[in-house]
Amino acid sequence: MTEPIRNQRIATDLQTSDFYYDLPEERIAQQPAEPRDTSRLMVIDRKSGEIEHKIFRDVVDYLQEGDVLVINDSKVIPARLYGYVEGRPEAVVELLLLRQRELDLWETLVKPGKRARVGSRLIFGDGILTATVTDIVEEGNRHIKFDYDHDTYGNIYEILHRIGMMPLPPYITAQLQDNDRYQTVYAREEGSAAAPTAGLHFTPELLEKIKAKGVAIAPVMLHVGLGTFRPVKADRVDEHVMHTEFISVSKESADLINSRRAAGGRIIAVGTTSCRTLESAADEQGIIHPVAEDTGIFIYPGYRFKAVDALITNFHLPESTLLMLVSAFYSRDAMLDAYQTAVEQKYRFFSFGDAMFIC
């Protein structure tokens, strides 16, 4: 088994608590903006420190001919299942599919874990899908082997679209009326347990305007799993270990990105997942290479960016690896000041919230 891509650990005295900020609950977005590109956009100039307040569709004004916009085209699957332990209908379980390991073998998160002992059989969808717990893996996750009628359903994804639910984060308590709103308009390959949310702001029309300006759009892929959202439990930032996620960069995308950068264009990552993919695929000179493997890259202050010149991103949870990444891209103090400004200006936070363009 190939070792996952990991960056060299950077020694730091930073504590996880150094990335805490106070967020009023009413600032957590419960529904996405409609239309998508009417969410707000905070534009931060890293050189001057200047902050502007715009609407997301204004992002086209900050892009330049020759730039390349790098998007994560992974597609969210209805990865949350509710079922029960065989023979005990009262023993309800919640299953979150994190990653496909083999055809019908998945790494999953099961709640409550005590009901998912090795050998336990779980029943979903009135019996059209059953599962056996095969073993316990890191962080207490379970490997689950699914069983169903392949002649009727073809593959697990057909069943998930029938009985599964979109895996909205726990801080979103409102009912989602349209599952496509937790999906980017360019989502292509199924496999994510959560949306790459910075991409939710784009519409087909906005993407066409961006292309018309001479900006190239290059797809890469990171199947979003536990690594992106797992809480940091270590006191010291440099003691946290990222859960691995699968990435891929095609030769076509790598060539496009490299040629644009060689000609003086900027590489603009849409989201922290695209950023982590690019930094995983880049060599020390910033050249992007085709990859199809796991990454456990952990970006926090002290990291030297090799490939990314600008970043479009949402506002992230306190003490999260995502906040640490954007703090590495700008600076911790300046980023926390920007977050305080966003709170004061009543920006909407997290997955369905507003966006930043850090350039």
Side-chain angles (χ1 to χ4, degrees), residues 20-38:
Y20 177 80
Y21 68 92
D22 188 42
L23 181 70
E25 189 173 342
E26 62 269 19
R27 298 269 53 84
I28 301 174
Q30 293 297 314
Q31 296 286 350
E34 193 60 49
R36 292 171 182 258
D37 59 359
T38 58

Side-chain angles (χ1 to χ4, degrees), residues 35-39 41 56-57 59-60 63 69-72 181 183-186 196-208 210 217 268-271 312-314 355 357:
R36 292 171 182 258
D37 59 359
T38 58
S39 51
L41 179 69
F56 190 83
R57 62 170 65 113
V59 72
V60 69
L63 304 178
L69 200 67
V70 181
I71 60 174
N72 178 9
R181 290 301 279 109
Q183 205 80 265
T184 63
V185 297
Y186 46 73
T197 54
L200 295 178
H201 306 283
F202 288 92
T203 65
E205 295 78 16
L206 179 57
L207 290 169
E208 287 304 316
I210 289 169
I217 297 178
I268 301 167
V270 177
I312 296 171
T313 185
N314 281 19
F357 181 39

Side-chain angles (χ1 to χ4, degrees), residues 95-109:
L95 192 71
L96 179 64
L97 279 66
L98 297 174
R99 183 160 178 190
Q100 190 172 25
R101 294 297 183 179
E102 297 174 6
L103 178 61
D104 289 316
L105 182 69
W106 286 73
E107 183 177 347
T108 67
L109 180 64

Side-chain angles (χ1 to χ4, degrees), residues 273-285:
T273 58
S274 295
C275 177
R276 292 179 61 233
T277 301
L278 288 167
E279 293 297 316
S280 298
D283 62 24
E284 289 303 314
Q285 285 70 48

Side-chain angles (χ1 to χ4, degrees), residues 72-76 183-190:
N72 178 9
D73 64 0
S74 180
K75 191 171 187 178
V76 187
Q183 205 80 265
T184 63
V185 297
Y186 46 73
R188 180 184 58 85
E189 184 172 339
E190 292 187 309

Side-chain angles (χ1 to χ4, degrees), residues 32-59:
E34 193 60 49
R36 292 171 182 258
D37 59 359
T38 58
S39 51
R40 296 175 69 188
L41 179 69
M42 177 184 283
V43 181
I44 300 177
D45 186 312
R46 289 189 291 169
K47 290 183 179 177
S48 67
E50 180 183 359
I51 292 178
E52 297 180 85
H53 304 287
K54 299 289 183 177
I55 301 300
F56 190 83
R57 62 170 65 113
D58 296 330
V59 72

Side-chain angles (χ1 to χ4, degrees), residues 34-338:
E34 193 60 49
R36 292 171 182 258
D37 59 359
T38 58
S39 51
R40 296 175 69 188
L41 179 69
M42 177 184 283
V43 181
I44 300 177
D45 186 312
R46 289 189 291 169
K47 290 183 179 177
S48 67
E50 180 183 359
I51 292 178
E52 297 180 85
H53 304 287
K54 299 289 183 177
I55 301 300
F56 190 83
R57 62 170 65 113
D58 296 330
V59 72
V60 69
D61 298 331
Y62 295 88
L63 304 178
Q64 303 162 9
E65 183 177 357
D67 288 343
V68 56
L69 200 67
V70 181
I71 60 174
N72 178 9
D73 64 0
S74 180
K75 191 171 187 178
V76 187
I77 58 176
R80 180 166 282 127
L81 293 167
Y82 290 93
Y84 59 90
V85 178
E86 185 179 46
R88 298 173 56 203
E90 76 285 356
V92 176
V93 293
E94 175 188 337
L95 192 71
L96 179 64
L97 279 66
L98 297 174
R99 183 160 178 190
Q100 190 172 25
R101 294 297 183 179
E102 297 174 6
L103 178 61
D104 289 316
L105 182 69
W106 286 73
E107 183 177 347
T108 67
L109 180 64
V110 189
K111 296 180 181 178
K114 64 184 179 182
R115 291 180 178 169
R117 298 182 177 90
V118 174
S120 297
R121 278 177 54 82
L122 310 176
I123 310 296
F124 303 97
D126 295 325
I128 66 171
L129 180 67
T130 62
T132 302
V133 181
T134 61
D135 63 304
I136 299 175
V137 292
E138 58 178 327
E139 296 297 317
N141 297 344
R142 268 67 170 169
H143 277 157
I144 297 283
K145 182 71 173 179
F146 288 108
D147 187 39
Y148 52 92
D149 186 336
H150 288 76
D151 291 335
T152 302
Y153 298 104
N155 59 47
I156 187 68
Y157 294 105
E158 287 190 30
I159 293 184
L160 292 177
H161 284 289
R162 179 183 291 259
I163 65 173
M165 299 178 64
M166 292 301 269
L168 294 180
Y171 51 75
I172 296 177
T173 57
Q175 185 82 22
L176 184 63
Q177 301 303 316
D178 179 4
N179 281 348
D180 284 343
R181 290 301 279 109
Y182 194 58
Q183 205 80 265
T184 63
V185 297
Y186 46 73
R188 180 184 58 85
E189 184 172 339
E190 292 187 309
S192 277
T197 54
L200 295 178
H201 306 283
F202 288 92
T203 65
E205 295 78 16
L206 179 57
L207 290 169
E208 287 304 316
K209 285 183 180 179
I210 289 169
K211 291 178 187 176
K213 196 167 183 177
V215 177
I217 297 178
V220 298
M221 192 189 69
L222 181 148
H223 281 329
V224 186
L226 205 57
T228 299
F229 298 104
R230 189 175 62 155
V232 179
K233 297 179 180 177
D235 292 332
R236 286 172 55 101
V237 168
D238 58 5
E239 292 176 350
H240 177 70
V241 178
M242 292 287 286
H243 194 276
T244 60
E245 294 161 305
F246 182 76
I247 63 170
S248 70
V249 179
S250 68
K251 184 179 185 302
E252 291 76 15
S253 286
D255 289 347
L256 175 59
I257 294 165
N258 292 331
S259 63
R260 286 277 173 142
R261 191 174 204 194
R266 297 176 299 171
I267 298 179
I268 301 167
V270 177
T272 57
T273 58
S274 295
C275 177
R276 292 179 61 233
T277 301
L278 288 167
E279 293 297 316
S280 298
D283 62 24
E284 289 303 314
Q285 285 70 48
I287 304 298
I288 303 299
H289 297 272
V291 296
E293 53 192 293
D294 289 350
T295 185
I297 191 171
F298 179 25
I299 298 174
Y300 54 91
Y303 178 85
R304 182 183 68 83
F305 284 83
K306 299 172 289 187
V308 177
D309 300 306
L311 178 65
I312 296 171
T313 185
N314 281 19
F315 293 90
H316 304 296
L317 274 73
E319 301 184 339
S320 64
T321 61
L322 307 179
L323 180 54
M324 293 170 188
L325 184 153
V326 296
S327 296
F329 193 68
Y330 189 16
S331 84
R332 185 188 69 91
D333 291 343
M335 187 55 61
L336 289 176
D337 285 346

